Amino acid sequence: MDLNQLEAFLTAQTKKQGGITADQAAVIAKFWKNHRTKIRESLINQSRWDNTLKNMNWRVDLKSQSRHVDQINTPVAIVEMELGKNGQESEFLCLEFDEAKVTQMLKKLSEIEESITALTQTT
């Protein structure tokens, strides 16, 4: 809830019979302004069931060894992801992608982005 929504909510609560007083509304507003970010982060952390992506690093290397000679000196993307929950030890996942797999991954990520955009756009 943003500050405008908070003010509207608290105003409605003060006008409601059996609601809160103006002093109580002021205290709640001050508390919310000071702790909104912490409250939001706490609620998000409590509502997660699985690990989340905490960090990601990547680099591009050239293959120096391979079972097939034609794969030597081809570029590969090395991606390391740190997965975990806050307050718990992280797990690390290391992936290697050739050019075709990077292209496939980017296409899938683009599809995900389009789906999220479609769901979050207001009409």
Side-chain angles (χ1 to χ4, degrees):
M1 152 179 328
D2 66 25
L3 296 178
N4 291 333
Q5 292 170 324
L6 175 66
E7 283 196 31
F9 174 76
L10 292 175
T11 300
Q13 293 301 311
T14 57
K15 292 180 180 178
K16 191 162 101 174
Q17 186 175 4
I20 61 175
T21 66
D23 289 340
Q24 290 171 326
V27 169
I28 292 169
K30 183 176 180 180
F31 179 84
W32 181 253
K33 288 175 188 175
N34 290 334
H35 299 286
R36 185 174 77 178
T37 303
K38 290 178 187 176
I39 293 168
R40 180 182 181 280
E41 288 173 5
S42 176
L43 288 172
I44 288 171
N45 288 334
Q46 290 174 30
S47 65
R48 286 191 184 128
W49 293 322
D50 293 321
N51 291 337
T52 60
L53 180 64
K54 290 176 138 185
N55 192 20
M56 185 172 84
N57 295 308
W58 64 273
R59 70 178 189 272
V60 175
D61 287 344
L62 291 177
K63 272 193 174 186
S64 60
Q65 294 180 359
S66 178
R67 287 186 219 157
H68 306 287
V69 175
D70 61 333
Q71 291 182 347
I72 294 177
N73 290 328
T74 58
V76 291
I78 309 294
V79 179
E80 182 183 79
M81 295 183 218
E82 181 182 359
L83 307 170
K85 290 185 177 183
N86 285 346
Q88 294 182 3
E89 192 170 324
S90 296
E91 298 176 22
F92 291 88
L93 177 63
C94 191
L95 304 168
E96 183 176 303
F97 298 99
D98 62 11
E99 188 175 358
K101 289 293 181 187
V102 168
T103 301
Q104 182 182 4
M105 173 79 89
L106 291 173
K107 183 179 178 198
K108 291 292 182 185
L109 288 172
S110 179
E111 291 171 10
I112 292 169
E113 181 182 31
E114 288 171 13
S115 294
I116 290 172
T117 299
L119 289 171
T120 58
Q121 283 183 341
T122 56
T123 54

